[in-house]
Amino acid sequence: MAARSKSSVELYQPSSFELRQVAKTSVKEIFDRGLFGTNTAAPHGTLRGIDVLPRQVCVQKLSRAVKIYFGKYGKVPNFLNPDGFYEKLSLAKLFAPIPMPSAADKLAVDHYIPEALEAKVKPIPTVWSSRFPISDEALGAANLPEGRYYAKLNSGAGSVKKVTLPMAKEDATELEKQSAGWLEHSHGTKAGEWWYSLIGNRVFLEHDLSDEDESLTDWKFHVGGGRILAIQLDLDRQSRHRQLVFDRNFNFIDEELFFRSGSPISRPTFIGDMIEVAEGIGRQFEFARVDLYHKNRQIYLGEITLCPMGGLKAPNSFELNTLMGQAWQSAFFGSGR
């Protein structure tokens, strides 16, 4: 009998209705108790999800987060007194004030480089941009030098293509079609990344900083409450993709974030400067992932991501989720305790 009872507990799965109720009651209590600044206006020059999205949409987006969390960890998140990274990220997406214009605009990231850090970091140079698809005629009129570039959309993730100029006619035709699709797409709607809808879509070309025979090392600094929660290093994306995670002191954390880990690397000589840059940029937000590159002794700011993976994926490791959440300490979440 005891064995059957234990089995029934292990197999218990809350219904979709029950998980939605967690979100619905959480949002109601957050507003009733004035948690996370809900009883005050957003600070000047900022906006929050609750200022842009209807209350029922906020409940819907938080319901998705409840399902994702339960599906990953087999537990129901506590949004009233959050401890883990994913709970805090899900709340910050809707309730935390975000400076405007949105830092998610890849063509405006230089706006968020503090003056004191301008000697240490600069944006990747943009060589061309447009509100219209990238056509062979437009690139010809721009008279760009031969070489390697990246074509991107300024207001979304994943809209990127490596380009070598001059292009063959069929490649140019494909890029025009692809970039037209980028411009038509409304990024972030499903995930509740409301800030993307406030950015005017543009396509652009930036210099490819990588060496011809290897990709550029991609450094991502998760900054919450003005302090680095984790350093993410993606290696060999095109072959044996590994995603290494380190703490603020560059101690290796042998846990998975979103992809498989691997063997740690030695501490780079430039990591101290990168940490200073990432926190200098990141402290302007409740949360930001600051993406940096290092090339020829120069640090470049790639982009500022306000919600990694759109908040649609929790860290693979519950232990890492806890560690990052514990490192994320701020007045914003102190008001919810």
Side-chain angles (χ1 to χ4, degrees):
M1 190 72 175
R4 285 196 298 272
S5 176
K6 180 180 179 182
S7 177
S8 64
V9 170
E10 289 176 343
L11 294 175
Y12 172 70
Q13 292 288 331
S15 66
S16 293
F17 173 79
E18 289 174 304
L19 293 177
R20 284 198 302 272
Q21 287 300 108
V22 171
K24 186 175 180 179
T25 56
S26 294
V27 170
K28 183 179 185 304
E29 190 162 352
I30 287 169
F31 277 96
D32 287 348
R33 292 168 53 184
L35 303 181
F36 313 125
T38 52
N39 58 356
T40 60
H44 178 72
T46 70
L47 278 175
R48 302 166 298 187
I50 57 174
D51 301 320
V52 177
L53 302 173
R55 177 83 67 91
Q56 64 268 26
V57 175
C58 292
V59 171
Q60 179 190 38
K61 301 310 177 186
L62 210 59
S63 294
R64 184 186 296 274
V66 173
K67 293 178 182 179
I68 291 169
Y69 186 94
F70 188 87
K72 178 69 71 172
Y73 306 130
K75 303 178 181 182
V76 174
N78 184 349
F79 289 128
L80 303 179
N81 189 21
D83 286 322
F85 169 72
Y86 186 71
E87 299 99 308
K88 291 183 176 182
L89 183 68
S90 300
L91 290 166
K93 180 164 65 171
L94 297 173
F95 297 98
I98 295 176
M100 293 289 131
S102 175
D105 184 347
K106 295 181 181 67
L107 291 174
V109 292
D110 58 333
H111 179 77
Y112 291 96
I113 296 177
E115 186 176 351
L117 292 174
E118 288 178 350
K120 289 192 173 182
V121 61
K122 59 184 180 180
I124 299 174
T126 298
V127 298
W128 177 89
S129 70
S130 175
R131 293 184 293 110
F132 303 100
I134 306 172
S135 67
D136 196 27
E137 293 76 14
L139 292 181
N143 197 28
L144 298 174
E146 294 184 6
R148 295 176 294 114
Y149 300 87
Y150 276 103
K152 295 183 177 182
L153 177 70
N154 69 320
S155 56
S159 302
V160 56
K161 185 178 180 66
K162 201 166 187 174
V163 172
T164 300
L165 298 181
M167 285 190 293
K169 185 65 177 177
E170 57 271 21
D171 292 334
T173 300
E174 177 59 29
L175 179 58
E176 183 173 4
K177 179 181 178 181
Q178 191 170 14
S179 61
W182 294 348
L183 289 167
E184 292 172 0
H185 181 62
S186 180
H187 187 78
T189 303
K190 177 182 177 182
E193 296 173 289
W194 53 269
W195 48 86
Y196 282 118
S197 66
L198 305 179
I199 302 172
N201 285 358
R202 295 184 71 89
V203 288
F204 67 98
L205 261 65
E206 67 181 20
H207 283 296
D208 178 3
L209 299 179
S210 63
D211 294 326
E212 192 165 355
D213 58 346
E214 61 182 45
S215 60
L216 200 63
T217 302
D218 198 358
W219 294 88
K220 300 179 186 294
F221 295 79
H222 298 257
V223 183
R227 189 171 175 84
I228 288 172
L229 314 177
I231 302 170
Q232 171 189 335
L233 176 60
D234 288 275
L235 299 171
D236 300 324
R237 282 186 177 275
Q238 305 305 318
S239 53
R240 300 177 297 108
H241 183 202
R242 293 162 291 147
Q243 190 174 78
L244 311 183
V245 181
F246 302 84
D247 68 12
R248 186 181 182 276
N249 296 316
F250 210 72
N251 297 308
F252 178 59
I253 303 175
D254 192 13
E255 300 287 345
E256 283 191 7
L257 185 54
F258 302 122
F259 299 96
R260 69 184 182 92
S261 185
S263 300
I265 65 167
S266 301
R267 180 186 177 97
T269 57
F270 53 78
I271 197 66
D273 285 339
M274 277 194 162
I275 288 171
E276 180 186 0
V277 166
E279 291 187 338
I281 293 171
R283 69 171 56 102
Q284 300 169 79
F285 311 88
E286 178 57 36
F287 174 85
R289 194 193 71 200
V290 182
D291 296 2
L292 301 176
Y293 302 94
H294 187 268
K295 174 79 171 181
N296 297 331
R297 299 184 179 181
Q298 174 65 52
I299 297 172
Y300 292 93
L301 173 60
E303 61 184 85
I304 299 172
T305 300
L306 300 175
C307 193
M309 310 296 284
L312 298 179
K313 189 171 183 179
N316 290 342
S317 164
F318 182 74
E319 290 75 11
L320 181 58
N321 181 67
T322 301
L323 286 172
M324 291 175 67
Q326 290 173 344
W328 186 344
Q329 300 296 321
S330 68
F332 178 78
F333 285 111
S335 66
R337 295 185 183 276

